[in-house]
Amino acid sequence: GIILWKKNKEKQALLDKIDRLKKTAGSWPDSPIADFDPTTVITLDSFEEMKSRLRNRIVDRSLEGPNPYGAPSSFVDKVSDHLIDGFEFSTVIDKLSPFQHYKTVIGDVNLHFIHMVGAEEKRNRPILLLHGWPSTILEFHKSIPYLLDQGFTVVAPSLPCHGFTIPPTKPGVSPAVIATVYATLMRRLGYANYVVHGGDWGAIIGRILTMMYPDQVLGLHVTLNTVSMGPRFALQSIVGFVFPRLVYKTKGEEGFLHPISKLSERQYKGMAYFHAQSVIGEFYGYGMNDSPTGLIGWIGAIFPLASAEKAFEDVNEKLRIGLENFGLDNVCANLVVFWATRTAQCSMRIYHEFYWKDMDMYKQAFIKETPVAISNFPNEIVHSTRFASGDSYGNIKLFNYHDFGGHFSHIDNTEGVVTDLISFVSGL
């Protein structure tokens, strides 16, 4: 009786929160949609300033041998030297210029987004592409043309504080608030229904958005499969402890979930940045906004680290493999955007907002009827089985495993992630 009372109380609190969020969104005044030119922000002057500071960087030499500490000085030097002497500024512009960019104000968010209209017969299924941290809109520079070639309409907003969506002036812009901002954007563009795709924070925001607006979202496709630890997860853990090969289909699933007694240790090691940014992200954010060296050492290292196989304990080896997968130019292009917009520091606030305001909401975000697709990549930072995913999703239509790719699959396995997305949307 007590357990049932507690669950009903939590459910009512969730419904009350959704109602408040929707009422707040309903009070937001309409704002015009204006053309936006990214090159007014990403300028050659800002790039030259970045290079000038890197030429005078001060970097402590890392210890010799295997490195368990973080980004080594050799990595910082490699990226710095490439930005100074090898990287072409035009690379960033070439990734941005093929698309139509816009800005509009929604609530307290001065939102940047890409909007590309596809073939008329497919305009009833626009796709909302959502990225996460520490990514920028550049993540989709290869995927958007792929989708446009298939006739799909694409809307891709920049996550607040990640490049061209400038920092809000007030606290409280949590994933749930961002979900209402994105839903408002789609209505403002005239789309009553749409498909949501997301990775990292895009997957989390997408799941919240789908729960809040099931009448609008035609389907949800995610690449980061974080699920609630419900009864299916518990049963899987018990059976998997005895018969791991029977339960876990890939090395990624078995390595992350088995044995369950080690899960907390693996999460502590792999998610330390999450806890730090949930509590003290602002502390070391100053170093990234003021120093491109600091930016390289933290955000710059995340891209390759999240693109390499998790079996490597040596950070040096993970960075080497991850750079091959993600690409040095792609790392530099994102760093140039963060530097020019000075949004690295505030990009970490979403962790605090989620941890302290939306965590309970996300845990209860069960998507019962809306069709869901999940693409699994071996180098993703977390893994879950199809069976355990039933604790969070009740209508899984597609659950695909891929042979390669990581946390940024739009970069290192564009064809795989986009093929899954097109297949899913075409079947709705």
Side-chain angles (χ1 to χ4, degrees), residues 31-189:
S31 176
I33 294 174
D35 292 340
F36 173 71
D37 180 3
T39 62
T40 60
V41 179
I42 308 297
T43 64
L44 186 57
D45 285 346
S46 68
F47 182 54
E48 291 298 332
E49 179 205 14
M50 185 184 199
K51 292 198 294 182
S52 175
R53 294 202 186 194
L54 287 172
R55 290 188 186 98
N56 297 302
R57 66 187 182 274
I58 299 173
V59 179
D60 284 346
R61 296 299 99 189
S62 298
L63 301 178
E64 295 180 2
N67 169 31
Y69 302 108
S73 56
S74 58
F75 172 80
V76 174
D77 286 340
K78 182 182 182 71
V79 177
S80 298
D81 291 343
H82 186 63
L83 279 164
I84 294 168
D85 295 321
F87 184 75
E88 297 290 341
F89 176 71
S90 59
T91 302
V92 185
I93 306 304
D94 291 344
K95 293 178 188 296
L96 293 167
S97 60
F99 312 122
Q100 295 168 343
H101 298 258
Y102 302 91
K103 280 233 177 174
T104 190
V105 176
I106 302 177
D108 191 41
V109 178
N110 189 335
L111 188 69
H112 160 262
F113 62 97
I114 289 171
H115 183 203
M116 302 294 290
V117 178
E120 188 171 351
E121 65 271 15
K122 292 186 178 179
R123 288 181 196 169
N124 62 334
R125 295 180 184 179
I127 299 173
L128 178 63
L129 296 179
L130 307 180
H131 72 85
W133 185 90
S135 195
T136 68
I137 203 68
L138 296 179
E139 182 174 343
F140 302 129
H141 80 273
K142 294 195 292 185
S143 298
I144 294 175
Y146 207 127
L147 293 167
L148 291 173
D149 286 344
Q150 299 299 312
F152 290 101
T153 290
V154 175
V155 179
S158 288
L159 188 63
C161 288
H162 289 63
F164 303 112
T165 296
I166 63 177
T169 58
K170 301 175 184 176
V173 182
S174 69
V177 171
I178 296 170
T180 62
V181 168
Y182 290 164
T184 302
L185 171 66
M186 296 305 279
R187 287 198 303 271
R188 194 171 289 182
L189 292 173

Side-chain angles (χ1 to χ4, degrees), residues 128 130 175 178-183 186 194 196 204-214 216-217 367:
L128 178 63
L130 307 180
I178 296 170
T180 62
V181 168
Y182 290 164
M186 296 305 279
Y194 45 92
V196 178
I204 293 171
I205 294 168
R207 181 165 145 194
I208 293 174
L209 193 159
T210 303
M211 176 189 65
M212 292 180 62
Y213 299 94
Q216 296 180 28
V217 179
I367 310 303

Side-chain angles (χ1 to χ4, degrees), residues 154-309:
V154 175
V155 179
S158 288
L159 188 63
C161 288
H162 289 63
F164 303 112
T165 296
I166 63 177
T169 58
K170 301 175 184 176
V173 182
S174 69
V177 171
I178 296 170
T180 62
V181 168
Y182 290 164
T184 302
L185 171 66
M186 296 305 279
R187 287 198 303 271
R188 194 171 289 182
L189 292 173
Y191 300 122
N193 300 102
Y194 45 92
V195 176
V196 178
H197 163 86
D200 195 83
W201 283 114
I204 293 171
I205 294 168
R207 181 165 145 194
I208 293 174
L209 193 159
T210 303
M211 176 189 65
M212 292 180 62
Y213 299 94
D215 56 327
Q216 296 180 28
V217 179
L218 296 170
L220 171 66
H221 177 222
V222 297
T223 57
L224 181 69
N225 187 19
T226 55
V227 299
S228 302
M229 294 184 180
R232 284 172 169 259
F233 181 86
L235 178 59
Q236 166 191 282
S237 300
I238 295 170
V239 177
F241 186 80
V242 183
F243 305 107
R245 296 298 171 86
L246 180 66
V247 172
Y248 306 117
K249 305 300 182 185
T250 67
K251 287 197 305 180
E253 288 180 357
E254 184 174 353
F256 185 75
L257 297 166
H258 175 76
I260 192 65
S261 58
K262 295 280 189 177
L263 180 59
S264 294
E265 178 185 338
R266 288 190 292 274
Q267 287 181 319
Y268 175 78
K269 287 181 177 179
M271 305 293 284
Y273 76 94
F274 188 102
H275 302 299
Q277 292 178 183
S278 298
V279 182
I280 58 169
E282 200 88 339
F283 284 19
Y284 50 87
Y286 293 103
M288 290 188 283
N289 269 16
D290 188 62
S291 166
T293 307
L295 186 63
I296 292 169
W298 187 242
I299 283 183
I302 295 294
F303 291 110
L305 287 176
S307 302
E309 186 180 340

